[in-house]
mmCIF file of all heavy atoms in Angstrom:
data_model
loop_
_atom_site.group_PDB
_atom_site.id
_atom_site.type_symbol
_atom_site.label_atom_id
_atom_site.label_comp_id
_atom_site.label_asym_id
_atom_site.label_seq_id
_atom_site.Cartn_x
_atom_site.Cartn_y
_atom_site.Cartn_z
ATOM 1 N N MET Z 1 10.914 -7.694 -2.777
ATOM 2 C CA MET Z 1 10.012 -7.142 -1.796
ATOM 3 C C MET Z 1 10.428 -5.702 -1.534
ATOM 4 O O MET Z 1 11.584 -5.433 -1.247
ATOM 5 C CB MET Z 1 10.109 -7.981 -0.533
ATOM 6 C CG MET Z 1 9.006 -7.833 0.437
ATOM 7 S SD MET Z 1 7.345 -8.276 -0.102
ATOM 8 C CE MET Z 1 7.536 -9.898 -0.759
ATOM 9 N N VAL Z 10 -0.990 -9.949 14.976
ATOM 10 C CA VAL Z 10 -1.378 -11.134 14.205
ATOM 11 C C VAL Z 10 -1.392 -10.888 12.707
ATOM 12 O O VAL Z 10 -1.919 -11.688 11.965
ATOM 13 C CB VAL Z 10 -2.769 -11.645 14.653
ATOM 14 C CG1 VAL Z 10 -2.725 -12.096 16.087
ATOM 15 C CG2 VAL Z 10 -3.831 -10.586 14.446
ATOM 16 N N ALA Z 11 -0.779 -9.822 12.230
ATOM 17 C CA ALA Z 11 -0.849 -9.525 10.795
ATOM 18 C C ALA Z 11 0.486 -9.023 10.271
ATOM 19 O O ALA Z 11 1.191 -8.284 10.934
ATOM 20 C CB ALA Z 11 -1.923 -8.477 10.530
ATOM 21 N N LEU Z 12 0.815 -9.452 9.055
ATOM 22 C CA LEU Z 12 1.939 -8.914 8.303
ATOM 23 C C LEU Z 12 1.386 -8.378 6.994
ATOM 24 O O LEU Z 12 0.507 -9.001 6.388
ATOM 25 C CB LEU Z 12 2.967 -9.999 7.989
ATOM 26 C CG LEU Z 12 3.717 -10.606 9.161
ATOM 27 C CD1 LEU Z 12 4.536 -11.797 8.673
ATOM 28 C CD2 LEU Z 12 4.622 -9.592 9.811
ATOM 29 N N VAL Z 13 1.896 -7.243 6.559
ATOM 30 C CA VAL Z 13 1.506 -6.675 5.269
ATOM 31 C C VAL Z 13 2.791 -6.437 4.494
ATOM 32 O O VAL Z 13 3.729 -5.845 5.018
ATOM 33 C CB VAL Z 13 0.732 -5.350 5.433
ATOM 34 C CG1 VAL Z 13 0.355 -4.785 4.079
ATOM 35 C CG2 VAL Z 13 -0.503 -5.548 6.293
ATOM 36 N N ALA Z 14 2.832 -6.916 3.251
ATOM 37 C CA ALA Z 14 4.016 -6.754 2.414
ATOM 38 C C ALA Z 14 3.627 -6.063 1.115
ATOM 39 O O ALA Z 14 2.523 -6.250 0.604
ATOM 40 C CB ALA Z 14 4.640 -8.106 2.117
ATOM 41 N N LEU Z 15 4.555 -5.280 0.587
ATOM 42 C CA LEU Z 15 4.374 -4.606 -0.687
ATOM 43 C C LEU Z 15 5.528 -5.012 -1.582
ATOM 44 O O LEU Z 15 6.688 -4.719 -1.283
ATOM 45 C CB LEU Z 15 4.353 -3.089 -0.481
ATOM 46 C CG LEU Z 15 4.160 -2.216 -1.710
ATOM 47 C CD1 LEU Z 15 2.807 -2.498 -2.361
ATOM 48 C CD2 LEU Z 15 4.256 -0.755 -1.329
ATOM 49 N N GLY Z 16 5.218 -5.731 -2.655
ATOM 50 C CA GLY Z 16 6.248 -6.212 -3.553
ATOM 51 C C GLY Z 16 6.777 -5.107 -4.450
ATOM 52 O O GLY Z 16 6.156 -4.056 -4.620
ATOM 53 N N ASP Z 18 6.718 -5.066 -7.452
ATOM 54 C CA ASP Z 18 5.769 -4.911 -8.556
ATOM 55 C C ASP Z 18 4.501 -4.171 -8.138
ATOM 56 O O ASP Z 18 3.579 -4.017 -8.920
ATOM 57 C CB ASP Z 18 5.406 -6.265 -9.144
ATOM 58 C CG ASP Z 18 4.796 -7.210 -8.123
ATOM 59 O OD1 ASP Z 18 4.644 -6.822 -6.941
ATOM 60 O OD2 ASP Z 18 4.480 -8.346 -8.500
ATOM 61 N N GLY Z 19 4.434 -3.714 -6.858
ATOM 62 C CA GLY Z 19 3.282 -2.965 -6.370
ATOM 63 C C GLY Z 19 2.159 -3.813 -5.818
ATOM 64 O O GLY Z 19 1.129 -3.281 -5.415
ATOM 65 N N LYS Z 20 2.331 -5.144 -5.754
ATOM 66 C CA LYS Z 20 1.289 -6.023 -5.220
ATOM 67 C C LYS Z 20 1.352 -6.057 -3.701
ATOM 68 O O LYS Z 20 2.425 -6.162 -3.110
ATOM 69 C CB LYS Z 20 1.439 -7.432 -5.787
ATOM 70 C CG LYS Z 20 1.161 -7.491 -7.272
ATOM 71 C CD LYS Z 20 1.334 -8.887 -7.803
ATOM 72 C CE LYS Z 20 1.090 -8.882 -9.307
ATOM 73 N NZ LYS Z 20 1.419 -10.178 -9.899
ATOM 74 N N VAL Z 21 0.169 -6.000 -3.078
ATOM 75 C CA VAL Z 21 0.049 -6.041 -1.627
ATOM 76 C C VAL Z 21 -0.312 -7.457 -1.210
ATOM 77 O O VAL Z 21 -1.193 -8.082 -1.799
ATOM 78 C CB VAL Z 21 -1.051 -5.067 -1.131
ATOM 79 C CG1 VAL Z 21 -1.207 -5.139 0.372
ATOM 80 C CG2 VAL Z 21 -0.734 -3.647 -1.569
ATOM 81 N N LEU Z 22 0.378 -7.973 -0.191
ATOM 82 C CA LEU Z 22 0.110 -9.296 0.347
ATOM 83 C C LEU Z 22 -0.145 -9.182 1.839
ATOM 84 O O LEU Z 22 0.530 -8.416 2.535
ATOM 85 C CB LEU Z 22 1.291 -10.238 0.100
ATOM 86 C CG LEU Z 22 1.683 -10.449 -1.349
ATOM 87 C CD1 LEU Z 22 3.019 -11.171 -1.428
ATOM 88 C CD2 LEU Z 22 0.617 -11.223 -2.082
ATOM 89 N N HIS Z 23 -1.089 -9.971 2.336
ATOM 90 C CA HIS Z 23 -1.419 -10.024 3.762
ATOM 91 C C HIS Z 23 -1.144 -11.433 4.266
ATOM 92 O O HIS Z 23 -1.456 -12.401 3.580
ATOM 93 C CB HIS Z 23 -2.901 -9.711 3.992
ATOM 94 C CG HIS Z 23 -3.289 -8.333 3.594
ATOM 95 N ND1 HIS Z 23 -3.270 -7.297 4.482
ATOM 96 C CD2 HIS Z 23 -3.692 -7.818 2.413
ATOM 97 C CE1 HIS Z 23 -3.659 -6.187 3.860
ATOM 98 N NE2 HIS Z 23 -3.915 -6.485 2.592
ATOM 99 N N SER Z 24 -0.603 -11.556 5.481
ATOM 100 C CA SER Z 24 -0.352 -12.861 6.080
ATOM 101 C C SER Z 24 -0.562 -12.780 7.582
ATOM 102 O O SER Z 24 -0.211 -11.788 8.208
ATOM 103 C CB SER Z 24 1.074 -13.323 5.793
ATOM 104 O OG SER Z 24 1.341 -14.549 6.440
ATOM 105 N N ARG Z 25 -1.094 -13.826 8.140
ATOM 106 C CA ARG Z 25 -1.240 -13.902 9.595
ATOM 107 C C ARG Z 25 -0.055 -14.623 10.231
ATOM 108 O O ARG Z 25 0.288 -14.358 11.362
ATOM 109 C CB ARG Z 25 -2.533 -14.616 9.961
ATOM 110 C CG ARG Z 25 -3.751 -13.827 9.523
ATOM 111 C CD ARG Z 25 -4.887 -14.008 10.508
ATOM 112 N NE ARG Z 25 -6.018 -13.199 10.164
ATOM 113 C CZ ARG Z 25 -6.204 -11.957 10.581
ATOM 114 N NH1 ARG Z 25 -5.334 -11.382 11.350
ATOM 115 N NH2 ARG Z 25 -7.268 -11.286 10.222
ATOM 116 N N ASP Z 26 0.581 -15.545 9.486
ATOM 117 C CA ASP Z 26 1.655 -16.346 10.064
ATOM 118 C C ASP Z 26 3.024 -16.123 9.415
ATOM 119 O O ASP Z 26 4.019 -16.682 9.861
ATOM 120 C CB ASP Z 26 1.307 -17.827 9.993
ATOM 121 C CG ASP Z 26 1.088 -18.333 8.577
ATOM 122 O OD1 ASP Z 26 1.409 -17.607 7.616
ATOM 123 O OD2 ASP Z 26 0.591 -19.458 8.428
ATOM 124 N N GLY Z 27 3.107 -15.336 8.354
ATOM 125 C CA GLY Z 27 4.361 -15.094 7.670
ATOM 126 C C GLY Z 27 4.762 -16.190 6.708
ATOM 127 O O GLY Z 27 5.772 -16.093 6.027
ATOM 128 N N ARG Z 28 3.991 -17.269 6.638
ATOM 129 C CA ARG Z 28 4.292 -18.382 5.730
ATOM 130 C C ARG Z 28 3.386 -18.394 4.515
ATOM 131 O O ARG Z 28 3.806 -18.666 3.408
ATOM 132 C CB ARG Z 28 4.154 -19.702 6.473
ATOM 133 C CG ARG Z 28 5.168 -19.861 7.559
ATOM 134 C CD ARG Z 28 5.067 -21.236 8.200
ATOM 135 N NE ARG Z 28 5.874 -21.228 9.394
ATOM 136 C CZ ARG Z 28 5.404 -21.448 10.593
ATOM 137 N NH1 ARG Z 28 4.148 -21.746 10.776
ATOM 138 N NH2 ARG Z 28 6.210 -21.407 11.624
ATOM 139 N N SER Z 29 2.120 -18.152 4.734
ATOM 140 C CA SER Z 29 1.155 -18.127 3.635
ATOM 141 C C SER Z 29 0.440 -16.784 3.677
ATOM 142 O O SER Z 29 0.428 -16.111 4.699
ATOM 143 C CB SER Z 29 0.141 -19.267 3.761
ATOM 144 O OG SER Z 29 -0.592 -19.129 4.963
ATOM 145 N N GLY Z 30 -0.142 -16.402 2.555
ATOM 146 C CA GLY Z 30 -0.798 -15.107 2.532
ATOM 147 C C GLY Z 30 -1.797 -15.004 1.413
ATOM 148 O O GLY Z 30 -1.955 -15.921 0.611
ATOM 149 N N GLU Z 31 -2.461 -13.882 1.383
ATOM 150 C CA GLU Z 31 -3.429 -13.610 0.331
ATOM 151 C C GLU Z 31 -3.147 -12.249 -0.257
ATOM 152 O O GLU Z 31 -2.665 -11.340 0.422
ATOM 153 C CB GLU Z 31 -4.854 -13.691 0.862
ATOM 154 C CG GLU Z 31 -5.162 -12.703 1.974
ATOM 155 C CD GLU Z 31 -6.544 -12.907 2.559
ATOM 156 O OE1 GLU Z 31 -6.784 -13.975 3.118
ATOM 157 O OE2 GLU Z 31 -7.351 -11.969 2.448
ATOM 158 N N ARG Z 32 -3.445 -12.119 -1.531
ATOM 159 C CA ARG Z 32 -3.208 -10.864 -2.232
ATOM 160 C C ARG Z 32 -4.252 -9.830 -1.842
ATOM 161 O O ARG Z 32 -5.428 -10.131 -1.752
ATOM 162 C CB ARG Z 32 -3.248 -11.125 -3.736
ATOM 163 C CG ARG Z 32 -2.828 -9.932 -4.508
ATOM 164 C CD ARG Z 32 -2.505 -10.289 -5.933
ATOM 165 N NE ARG Z 32 -2.282 -9.041 -6.632
ATOM 166 C CZ ARG Z 32 -2.710 -8.791 -7.833
ATOM 167 N NH1 ARG Z 32 -3.343 -9.695 -8.506
ATOM 168 N NH2 ARG Z 32 -2.489 -7.627 -8.381
ATOM 169 N N GLY Z 33 -3.793 -8.600 -1.621
ATOM 170 C CA GLY Z 33 -4.695 -7.537 -1.234
ATOM 171 C C GLY Z 33 -4.991 -6.553 -2.339
ATOM 172 O O GLY Z 33 -5.863 -5.722 -2.215
ATOM 173 N N GLY Z 34 -4.279 -6.613 -3.451
ATOM 174 C CA GLY Z 34 -4.458 -5.654 -4.539
ATOM 175 C C GLY Z 34 -3.115 -5.155 -5.003
ATOM 176 O O GLY Z 34 -2.075 -5.705 -4.655
ATOM 177 N N SER Z 35 -3.118 -4.079 -5.797
ATOM 178 C CA SER Z 35 -1.879 -3.514 -6.329
ATOM 179 C C SER Z 35 -1.967 -1.998 -6.366
ATOM 180 O O SER Z 35 -3.057 -1.441 -6.497
ATOM 181 C CB SER Z 35 -1.645 -3.992 -7.765
ATOM 182 O OG SER Z 35 -1.483 -5.372 -7.814
ATOM 183 N N LEU Z 45 6.310 1.299 2.393
ATOM 184 C CA LEU Z 45 4.955 0.974 2.841
ATOM 185 C C LEU Z 45 4.879 1.245 4.331
ATOM 186 O O LEU Z 45 5.784 0.878 5.077
ATOM 187 C CB LEU Z 45 4.639 -0.501 2.592
ATOM 188 C CG LEU Z 45 3.376 -1.043 3.262
ATOM 189 C CD1 LEU Z 45 2.136 -0.527 2.545
ATOM 190 C CD2 LEU Z 45 3.376 -2.556 3.289
ATOM 191 N N PRO Z 50 -4.056 -3.203 9.577
ATOM 192 C CA PRO Z 50 -4.062 -4.148 8.453
ATOM 193 C C PRO Z 50 -4.827 -3.646 7.228
ATOM 194 O O PRO Z 50 -4.565 -4.069 6.116
ATOM 195 C CB PRO Z 50 -4.720 -5.400 9.033
ATOM 196 C CG PRO Z 50 -4.408 -5.330 10.487
ATOM 197 C CD PRO Z 50 -4.471 -3.851 10.825
ATOM 198 N N THR Z 51 -5.746 -2.705 7.411
ATOM 199 C CA THR Z 51 -6.527 -2.195 6.282
ATOM 200 C C THR Z 51 -6.152 -0.775 5.861
ATOM 201 O O THR Z 51 -6.429 -0.374 4.746
ATOM 202 C CB THR Z 51 -8.035 -2.238 6.587
ATOM 203 O OG1 THR Z 51 -8.282 -1.483 7.776
ATOM 204 C CG2 THR Z 51 -8.519 -3.664 6.763
ATOM 205 N N LEU Z 53 -3.351 1.621 4.779
ATOM 206 C CA LEU Z 53 -1.986 1.564 4.285
ATOM 207 C C LEU Z 53 -1.587 2.872 3.611
ATOM 208 O O LEU Z 53 -2.416 3.526 2.981
ATOM 209 C CB LEU Z 53 -1.847 0.436 3.261
ATOM 210 C CG LEU Z 53 -2.374 -0.934 3.655
ATOM 211 C CD1 LEU Z 53 -2.277 -1.883 2.476
ATOM 212 C CD2 LEU Z 53 -1.636 -1.474 4.858
ATOM 213 N N ASP Z 67 -8.723 -0.027 2.497
ATOM 214 C CA ASP Z 67 -9.364 -1.342 2.371
ATOM 215 C C ASP Z 67 -8.330 -2.449 2.145
ATOM 216 O O ASP Z 67 -8.565 -3.404 1.427
ATOM 217 C CB ASP Z 67 -10.405 -1.332 1.255
ATOM 218 C CG ASP Z 67 -9.825 -0.971 -0.102
ATOM 219 O OD1 ASP Z 67 -8.586 -0.864 -0.240
ATOM 220 O OD2 ASP Z 67 -10.625 -0.804 -1.039
ATOM 221 N N GLY Z 68 -7.179 -2.308 2.774
ATOM 222 C CA GLY Z 68 -6.163 -3.342 2.702
ATOM 223 C C GLY Z 68 -5.416 -3.415 1.386
ATOM 224 O O GLY Z 68 -4.779 -4.409 1.094
ATOM 225 N N GLY Z 69 -5.484 -2.379 0.578
ATOM 226 C CA GLY Z 69 -4.760 -2.338 -0.677
ATOM 227 C C GLY Z 69 -5.571 -2.686 -1.907
ATOM 228 O O GLY Z 69 -5.050 -2.756 -3.006
ATOM 229 N N ARG Z 70 -6.865 -2.875 -1.750
ATOM 230 C CA ARG Z 70 -7.716 -3.179 -2.914
ATOM 231 C C ARG Z 70 -7.926 -1.942 -3.793
ATOM 232 O O ARG Z 70 -8.010 -2.042 -5.001
ATOM 233 C CB ARG Z 70 -9.046 -3.767 -2.456
ATOM 234 C CG ARG Z 70 -8.907 -5.210 -1.983
ATOM 235 C CD ARG Z 70 -10.235 -5.846 -1.665
ATOM 236 N NE ARG Z 70 -10.608 -5.834 -0.261
ATOM 237 C CZ ARG Z 70 -9.957 -6.474 0.705
ATOM 238 N NH1 ARG Z 70 -8.876 -7.133 0.446
ATOM 239 N NH2 ARG Z 70 -10.386 -6.437 1.933
ATOM 240 N N TRP Z 72 -6.797 2.485 -4.071
ATOM 241 C CA TRP Z 72 -5.835 3.475 -3.603
ATOM 242 C C TRP Z 72 -6.252 4.879 -4.013
ATOM 243 O O TRP Z 72 -6.795 5.069 -5.089
ATOM 244 C CB TRP Z 72 -4.456 3.188 -4.205
ATOM 245 C CG TRP Z 72 -3.871 1.903 -3.727
ATOM 246 C CD1 TRP Z 72 -4.060 0.662 -4.283
ATOM 247 C CD2 TRP Z 72 -3.030 1.714 -2.602
ATOM 248 N NE1 TRP Z 72 -3.376 -0.273 -3.571
ATOM 249 C CE2 TRP Z 72 -2.733 0.342 -2.522
ATOM 250 C CE3 TRP Z 72 -2.497 2.575 -1.645
ATOM 251 C CZ2 TRP Z 72 -1.914 -0.191 -1.538
ATOM 252 C CZ3 TRP Z 72 -1.688 2.045 -0.661
ATOM 253 C CH2 TRP Z 72 -1.401 0.676 -0.603
#
Side-chain angles (χ1 to χ4, degrees):
M1 197 61 52
V10 296
L12 294 172
V13 179
L15 180 62
D18 59 0
K20 293 179 182 172
V21 178
L22 301 169
H23 296 268
S24 176
R25 295 214 176 271
D26 60 11
R28 294 185 191 120
S29 61
E31 60 185 63
R32 188 164 173 221
S35 297
L45 168 74
T51 57
L53 310 174
D67 59 8
R70 286 186 263 296
W72 294 88

